[in-house]
Amino acid sequence: MTQRNITRYTYETTSFQGWRLSICRKWNQFTRYFSDKQYGSEQAAFEAALRMRDSIFSELKAEQADPRAIFERYKNLSPTESASAA
């Protein structure tokens, strides 16, 4: 269940279990964590990360896309907004 730019984090020594979305474009880095607990299950957290990734990629495809502005907008979304970002 791995996808480009999405990594699974499962550590026995920490309370975080979930997925990390990480995208880098034109020297701008975007990272967002999707917790299993916050989204209700591992699958739901993964699907939220996938939707956000696909939504960001579609915006980055625009000819004059500004990665910094796109990443900043997505960074400020709440978890419920990010779940419906696509």
Side-chain angles (χ1 to χ4, degrees):
M1 184 179 1
T2 61
Q3 290 284 329
R4 180 176 167 217
N5 301 93
I6 300 175
T7 307
R8 178 75 184 155
Y9 280 85
T10 55
Y11 297 112
E12 292 180 16
T13 58
T14 67
S15 61
F16 180 79
Q17 304 283 318
W19 299 89
R20 181 184 74 136
L21 169 63
S22 182
I23 303 171
C24 185
R25 291 291 185 278
K26 296 182 182 179
W27 301 98
N28 294 284
Q29 179 72 36
F30 175 82
T31 303
R32 179 89 183 231
Y33 292 89
F34 296 82
S35 167
D36 295 350
K37 185 183 286 186
Q38 188 171 32
Y39 287 90
S41 71
E42 178 180 338
Q43 184 65 31
F46 176 74
E47 289 171 2
L50 197 58
R51 280 191 305 274
M52 181 174 279
R53 183 205 63 184
D54 292 346
S55 183
I56 290 172
F57 280 170
S58 69
E59 289 190 37
L60 289 171
K61 287 181 184 177
E63 191 168 317
Q64 297 296 321
D66 177 13
R68 178 180 291 167
I70 293 168
F71 292 165
E72 194 63 33
R73 190 171 63 253
Y74 278 88
K75 184 172 32 169
N76 293 323
L77 293 178
S78 72
T80 55
E81 290 172 320
S82 67
S84 61

